Amino acid sequence: MEPIIIEGTPKTPTVKFNAAEGVFEIKGRSIPENSVEFYKPLVDWLDNYKESPLPKTVVNIRLEYFNTSSSKCILDVFKKLEAIHKAKNEVEVNWYYEEDDEDMLEAGEDYESIIRVPFKMIEIVE
Amino acid sequence: MSFNVENYFSDLSDKDIILFYKGNVDSDIINHILDTVEDKMVEMNEQPKLRKKVYNVLVESLQNLYHHVDRVPEDFEDQTSEKFGLLVVKKIKNGYKIITGNFVHAGNIEKLEEKIKRINRSSHEEIKELYKFILNHQRISPKGGGGLGLVDIARKTGNKLEYSFKEYNDKYSFFYLNILVTEDI
């Protein structure tokens, strides 16, 4: 599978999905007006990856800001990961948040409570 | 029609107003406003925590306008703006006040007001649960909104949403939303 590599912009995150390594990363700001347009290719890609995933998939989410429209798309990404996990593959989500950013920590906890995949909350200390 | 949206702000010359905008709310304007306010907050040495909250609330407020405003009335002074909105960002003690304004069809007032009232009578815990429920159960509308903007604003600020509807004519009202983002939360 071809990896996805998208450079970040002021409104959209850097994305690196590498099927050969089983490491996926979303990093930066995700505040586009039309988040579906941005996330649909990622969700479709995960749909393919889901067919023959590696025994272990690691997902690093390191967002500075995301809007509510992205929050639904990020949930769609996690739902694909949940399906991979349910099919007896190891999936680990590392949810990074900046020091004192309780809102970002809470956002991670929201997903953790909805999605049945192990989450690790990691505080970034400057 | 003597209606003038600026009359609402008796203190517009106030030096504490760091941004005033009225006109079409498109993607470029949203970028420009976000950059301007972010730069000003850095210049004013605001704490990262407050800066982030203001930025988040500003994103949601502007994108609410972008996704949901109704068309302007036929006799309104600005007919070129497809998505007419108004925004004021004001520095206050302990934080910022963000005011948005937009036209709402008379037929849409009740639904909007009911939504705000529901949020305002909810506790912080209930708002968190409401957020999660909508996140998990509601699809993104054809307009592109997720129905989460106001809930998110209330959750992040911890403050009640102040609002008012000023009647423009029998078909339209102008809706003002006052959001307080304060430090001690």
Side-chain angles (χ1 to χ4, degrees):
Chain A
M1 267 181 90
E2 284 294 309
I4 296 188
I5 297 172
I6 303 170
E7 284 295 320
T9 72
K11 273 184 162 168
T12 54
T14 299
V15 177
K16 286 178 193 157
F17 282 10
N18 188 326
E21 291 173 4
V23 177
F24 307 159
E25 184 175 70
I26 301 178
K27 188 179 172 180
R29 296 184 175 194
S30 182
I31 53 167
E33 279 81 37
N34 189 343
S35 52
V36 176
E37 194 178 82
F38 183 82
Y39 281 93
K40 186 162 188 308
L42 307 186
V43 173
D44 291 346
W45 189 94
L46 285 170
D47 242 344
N48 282 329
Y49 176 79
K50 181 161 71 87
E51 297 307 313
S52 50
L54 292 188
K56 180 171 181 174
T57 303
V58 176
V59 186
N60 298 312
I61 310 284
R62 205 170 175 145
L63 289 167
E64 189 191 356
Y65 292 114
F66 66 93
N67 60 0
T68 54
S69 159
S70 298
S71 70
K72 290 194 176 241
C73 296
I74 294 167
L75 182 67
D76 288 340
V77 167
F78 284 141
K79 285 199 166 149
K80 296 294 169 199
L81 297 167
E82 185 178 45
I84 294 168
H85 185 252
K86 211 175 164 187
K88 306 268 185 273
N89 302 289
E90 200 181 330
V91 177
E92 182 183 293
V93 175
N94 295 314
W95 182 273
Y96 291 86
Y97 63 99
E98 285 174 41
E99 201 177 356
D100 284 343
D101 192 347
E102 284 153 30
D103 290 335
M104 195 53 81
L105 172 62
E106 276 194 15
E109 289 168 349
D110 284 353
Y111 288 118
E112 188 182 21
S113 73
I114 295 172
I115 298 293
R116 290 193 186 98
V117 170
F119 271 65
K120 257 191 217 158
M121 303 296 167
I122 304 171
E123 187 173 7
I124 309 163
V125 182
E126 301 271 307
Chain B
M1 179 61 69
S2 63
F3 181 89
N4 182 341
V5 291
E6 277 130 286
N7 290 347
Y8 186 74
F9 307 99
S10 50
D11 54 355
L12 255 188
S13 58
D14 196 323
K15 64 170 172 40
D16 292 331
I17 288 177
I18 64 169
L19 189 128
F20 174 79
Y21 176 78
K22 64 165 185 164
N24 197 33
V25 181
D26 61 20
S27 192
D28 289 342
I29 276 295
I30 293 178
N31 295 352
H32 182 70
I33 291 172
L34 290 172
D35 284 350
T36 307
V37 174
E38 193 174 30
D39 288 349
K40 285 208 177 168
M41 286 191 294
V42 170
E43 228 172 79
M44 290 156 86
N45 285 320
E46 299 290 7
Q47 290 300 309
K49 200 174 169 180
L50 179 65
R51 252 173 27 217
K52 277 185 203 167
K53 275 197 198 282
V54 172
Y55 192 89
N56 264 312
V57 168
L58 209 49
V59 169
E60 294 304 326
S61 318
L62 288 166
Q63 292 184 346
N64 261 347
L65 294 175
Y66 179 91
H67 290 299
H68 300 295
V69 293
D70 288 326
R71 242 202 93 61
V72 297
E74 282 162 15
D75 59 354
F76 184 61
E77 56 186 33
D78 179 353
Q79 286 296 318
T80 57
S81 294
E82 200 189 328
K83 297 164 188 250
F84 179 85
L86 175 149
L87 175 80
V88 179
V89 180
K90 189 179 170 182
K91 173 79 188 136
I92 54 166
K93 194 172 173 269
N94 298 334
Y96 288 83
K97 188 178 210 174
I98 296 167
I99 302 165
T100 64
N102 59 279
F103 284 103
V104 179
H105 273 298
N108 293 332
I109 293 175
E110 203 184 322
K111 206 175 142 198
L112 176 57
E113 191 166 21
E114 189 36 56
K115 182 162 193 170
I116 296 173
K117 281 183 173 166
R118 180 179 177 188
I119 293 169
N120 280 349
R121 65 171 176 259
S122 301
S123 67
H124 189 67
E125 271 313 304
E126 286 167 339
I127 289 173
K128 265 175 79 167
E129 289 308 314
L130 179 62
Y131 182 98
K132 271 200 274 184
F133 182 82
I134 299 172
L135 174 65
N136 203 11
H137 293 93
Q138 203 166 293
R139 306 309 306 167
I140 294 178
S141 77
K143 278 181 168 181
L148 277 168
L150 290 173
V151 181
D152 187 58
I153 290 169
R155 180 177 178 178
K156 293 222 166 86
T157 63
N159 291 318
K160 300 285 177 213
L161 302 168
E162 287 172 27
Y163 67 98
S164 60
F165 290 96
K166 304 280 172 204
E167 192 177 294
Y168 179 80
N169 60 26
D170 57 353
K171 284 198 201 113
Y172 285 94
S173 282
F174 201 74
F175 168 65
Y176 289 101
L177 180 65
N178 288 3
I179 305 160
L180 287 176
V181 190
T182 43
E183 241 163 320
D184 36 32
I185 40 176

